[in-house]
Amino acid sequence: MLKYIFFSLKSLKITLRSTVISFILILITMLMFNSLIVLGQDSTKTSSAFLNMEDVIFLSFSHPKYDPDDLCKSVPNIKAYHKISSNLTDIDTTMCASLYYDKYVLQHFNFDLKNGRMIKDSNEIIITSALGKKYKVGDTVSIMYYTEYQEQKFTEKTVCGVLSNDIVFYSSSFGSEITASEFRVNLDDPDRFIIGNNEGCGFITSDECFENPFETDRSIIFIEPERSDEKSISDLCTALQEFGCVYKGADLIKNAKNNETKNIKDYRTIMIALAILSSVTLFGHYIIDVYRRRNEFAIMYICGAENKNIYAIEIVKMIALVLTASIIGTSLAYLLIQKTQHMTLSPVGISISCGFMLVYILFSMLALYLVTKKEDISEVMKGE
């Protein structure tokens, strides 16, 4: 085995230019596959969080002078309004962003949980994936929070669920078009607009003590209608347009799904195009490389090598090349999506990449077999 490794390294050195080209092509393929798979998957998860909100009406205030408390007085058919509030707290000295959802909002959001279940009472919290590395479902944690008088207080909560990522839903904007993606906040993103915390660390709670009394009301709110028949809802939306941008929950979900379907098609088109381009480029390059190296193979035959020896050397060489380029390309993909999108690699992307490289190795060995099987040493040495 050692001699095959030695001869493979010698072959890599002899064909250095071709090896470098193959290395770069494989590296780029791994980089693109792993990056695009993650971005494609990430663009399909937002609408699922709003699936239970078809009957909710969203309002984004267009002017700071409007007070949400005035809505119930001036606009008919409003049972109540609800909003999400963020605050700065810490769990066992770890700075966290707390997201307060009242019972109505909590019941209507469909969270993507890795472990556990939804909150049943105010004594429970759902933590982000980042905190899930330190705590598990069932743990009791000590939380420090500030009162409206800036006094520090402590309370204990039980972890009932862990999110599959560090994505939470919150919005502080006003007067803008309402979309599902407007609510989506990655707590691992240093440019997030939620109050500062350790990267990715946060939790969701229904305890009113975490509601921020100083947070602006100029945000998107969730309106709970008194009557849900079509005419009443239509009249309510018309009346609310005086205050800002209005969206029905059903319309928001529909638009989010349409955008996600479009994104899926776009990413699939890119992936297919990339797969075809990579296949043609990689396989074509190897076939040309094998054809140009006929003299090398002929010399091996003259020195007593058999086909199985050449195949063994090429397999070791190919595996070493593909493995090295794949590891570096995948690592670069991880750094790229982690630094720019604050996400991590997808098992799907890694699986597809590994499958593609396996096919590349098998196809390359087939090309080598076809070339060496039909070679006539005398003709090769004559340069014909």
Side-chain angles (χ1 to χ4, degrees):
M1 184 62 185
L2 290 175
K3 67 178 181 179
Y4 287 125
I5 296 176
F6 173 77
F7 284 120
S8 298
L9 293 175
K10 292 285 288 184
S11 179
L12 284 171
K13 184 177 180 181
I14 293 172
T15 59
L16 182 60
R17 182 171 176 271
S18 175
T19 300
V20 171
I21 294 175
S22 297
F23 180 87
I24 294 174
L25 290 173
I26 296 171
L27 186 150
I28 292 174
T29 301
M30 293 295 98
L31 175 64
M32 295 298 291
F33 270 161
N34 283 286
S35 300
L36 289 173
I37 284 288
V38 171
L39 295 176
Q41 290 179 334
D42 186 65
S43 66
T44 63
K45 296 180 178 180
T46 304
S47 67
S48 62
F50 296 84
L51 290 180
N52 299 327
M53 294 195 175
E54 290 191 349
D55 297 330
V56 177
I57 296 176
F58 298 83
L59 171 64
S60 178
F61 287 100
S62 60
H63 197 282
K65 73 176 182 180
Y66 293 135
D67 186 347
D69 292 330
D70 293 335
L71 288 176
C72 298
K73 303 174 184 176
S74 58
V75 180
N77 196 27
I78 294 182
K79 183 176 181 180
Y81 78 88
H82 311 267
K83 64 178 181 177
I84 302 173
S85 176
S86 72
N87 210 335
L88 182 61
T89 59
D90 70 52
I91 293 180
D92 298 329
T93 69
T94 299
M95 290 181 63
C96 299
S98 65
L99 277 297
Y100 165 73
Y101 295 71
D102 66 16
K103 291 183 179 179
Y104 178 84
V105 176
L106 195 62
Q107 290 171 356
H108 283 73
F109 261 110
N110 180 34
F111 293 102
D112 183 13
L113 297 180
K114 178 168 57 177
N115 295 309
R117 55 169 173 78
M118 292 297 295
I119 294 173
K120 289 184 177 180
D121 57 59
S122 61
N123 293 318
E124 298 177 334
I125 60 172
I126 295 174
I127 60 176
T128 58
S129 179
L131 279 179
K133 297 175 183 178
K134 187 176 181 181
Y135 305 101
K136 62 181 184 299
V137 174
D139 286 351
T140 299
V141 295
S142 176
I143 305 177
M144 185 280 292
Y145 66 96
Y146 291 96
T147 68
E148 60 180 308
Y149 305 107
Q150 294 300 299
E151 296 175 334
Q152 286 189 2
K153 285 197 174 182
F154 292 85
T155 184
E156 289 189 343
K157 300 294 179 184
T158 301
V159 177
C160 69
V162 181
L163 295 172
S164 62
N165 48 42
D166 300 324
I167 303 297
V168 294
F169 295 91
Y170 169 81
S171 178
S172 64
S173 66
F174 65 98
S176 60
E177 182 180 356
I178 301 174
T179 62
S181 59
E182 163 69 25
F183 288 89
R184 192 176 185 274
V185 180
N186 190 342
L187 291 180
D188 194 39
D189 184 351
D191 296 325
R192 62 190 177 276
F193 50 80
I194 284 184
I195 194 168
N197 64 296
N198 287 3
E199 287 188 2
C201 295
F203 63 91
I204 296 169
T205 177
S206 62
D207 191 335
E208 294 180 358
C209 72
F210 292 100
E211 185 175 7
N212 189 345
F214 304 105
E215 191 170 52
T216 176
D217 286 328
R218 298 176 296 168
S219 59
I220 294 175
I221 63 174
F222 307 79
I223 294 178
E224 179 183 3
E226 188 78 50
R227 300 180 303 278
S228 58
D229 60 279
E230 187 174 343
K231 184 178 185 309
S232 297
I233 294 297
S234 179
D235 291 342
L236 175 57
C237 290
T238 301
L240 288 173
Q241 288 176 0
E242 176 188 346
F243 297 88
C245 296
V246 184
Y247 244 85
K248 296 179 183 177
D251 292 338
L252 182 136
I253 296 170
K254 180 180 178 181
N255 289 341
K257 287 183 176 180
N258 289 339
N259 289 333
E260 290 172 354
T261 301
K262 181 180 180 300
N263 287 337
I264 291 173
K265 290 181 179 179
D266 291 343
Y267 276 107
R268 283 180 179 172
T269 301
I270 294 173
M271 290 298 296
I272 292 172
L274 175 63
I276 294 174
L277 180 61
S278 299
S279 301
V280 172
T281 304
L282 283 170
F283 299 152
H285 176 264
Y286 186 79
I287 292 173
I288 294 173
D289 180 56
V290 169
Y291 185 78
R292 287 176 175 173
R293 294 170 57 204
R294 290 176 302 157
N295 286 335
E296 179 186 339
F297 300 140
I299 293 174
M300 288 182 179
Y301 286 133
I302 293 173
C303 293
E306 299 178 4
N307 279 342
K308 64 179 181 179
N309 303 123
I310 295 177
Y311 298 156
I313 292 172
E314 284 297 303
I315 288 175
V316 173
K317 170 186 171 182
M318 185 63 65
I319 291 176
L321 177 65
V322 168
L323 191 60
T324 305
S326 297
I327 291 174
I328 296 177
T330 303
S331 299
L332 289 176
Y334 170 76
L335 292 174
L336 177 66
I337 61 178
Q338 202 277 329
K339 294 296 182 183
T340 61
Q341 302 295 327
H342 313 286
M343 295 182 290
T344 189
L345 293 174
S346 165
V348 176
I350 295 175
S351 300
I352 291 178
S353 300
C354 291
F356 182 84
M357 288 298 103
L358 179 61
V359 172
Y360 170 59
I361 293 175
L362 294 176
F363 184 89
S364 299
M365 291 303 101
L366 175 62
L368 177 65
Y369 169 78
L370 294 176
V371 170
T372 56
K373 189 73 174 178
K374 296 182 180 181
E375 279 295 354
D376 187 309
I377 297 177
S378 62
E379 296 298 321
V380 172
M381 296 306 291
K382 291 177 183 178
E384 299 181 9

